[in-house]
Amino acid sequence: MGQPNSLPSADVYFEAIRNGDRTILSRAITLVESNRSDHQEIARELIEKCLSFSGNSIRLGITGVPGVGKSTFIEALGTHIAEEQNEKLAVLAIDPSSSKTKGSILGDKTRMEQLTKSNNAFIRPSPAGDSLGGVTRRTYESIILCEAAGFNRIFVETVGVGQSETAVYHMVDFFLLLMLAGAGDELQGIKKGIMEMADAVVINKADGENKEAARKAELEYRRALHLFPLGEDGWTPRTATCSALTKEGIEGVWQIVLEHHEELQETGWLEKKRQQQTVHRLHERISDILRSGFYNDAEIKKALPEIETRVLNGELTSYSAADELIRSYLA
Ligand code: GDP
């Protein structure tokens, strides 16, 4: 299979995924990541089939700036879940390397060496791509595929510097923000908006001489989180410290995630949250389609450079330029 001209049908993918075939799961994710319309068609059919077998999981989003220890943390927590708790864990990592830099942030270093060897774990880096809508669709569809393949613990890792956090926030049950002690928020590049989305702020590298500072930082974050209004789901954001290196505190973090899951299941908010997320995705999808329709329109493509120059030269305001373009697009 996998020949460009003889793609298997959605049914073939589906059966193999349901049987837990990881190679096919991997290829199916490649399929949902593809922009080719024939690939997308099969992917869409496959997702429809998988949807009713999805949802039976804990979806955890993990974010934090490069160097905070995300991969070490996922290695530690993931190994605990996959090896000690014998649960099936899928890790989807969004690699934000943009087309601008071509480089890869998650790239070359050997990440999650131990977890990679676990039979219960499936690790998949995904390119973020050019559009936010693209990230959302692909990552969400990958979650569905993994769940249909029997994975009941899903981690979505994203680097806390760009827009993809918001996208990830809208597809997970629990959003975890990893931070460091002793570095100001500014330095950590974390926007207030991301703090506000967090269900837990966890100070990593709480080991050795850094332990005390981590505890102090935790208190500060606890105070800061109290200033935000409670989310509608009634969950009070939590704080913790851990060391991904020594594994101290890692189980405690997972305990918080489990408590959250239990609480939201009891109150009915888990289902409600996921339903609301579906509506959010609907709107993201609509904007994505409209946006790409607009920018791929031949007339718009032709007109844009000149309009940009006129805006640049101050001959035209950005507002009237946008209005003009949209009007000609819709005409
Ligand atoms: P990422 O870029 O967020 O994925 O961060 P990494 O997991 O690659 O970690 C960055 C560096 O911090 C590596 O050198 C890790 O060994 C180190 N590191 C990660 N977690 C801890 C920790 O809990 N304690 C200490 N002391 N170092 C850590």
Side-chain angles (χ1 to χ4, degrees), residues 64-74 105-106 109 111-112 157 159 178 204-208 210 242-247:
V65 294
V68 73
K70 291 179 298 301
S71 37
T72 316
F73 176 85
I74 291 173
I105 293 189
L106 304 180
K109 57 184 170 167
R111 309 176 86 237
M112 308 170 199
E157 176 194 2
V159 176
L178 276 184
N204 189 34
K205 307 197 187 183
D207 44 46
N210 205 23
C242 76
S243 166
L245 208 60
T246 67
K247 300 189 171 49

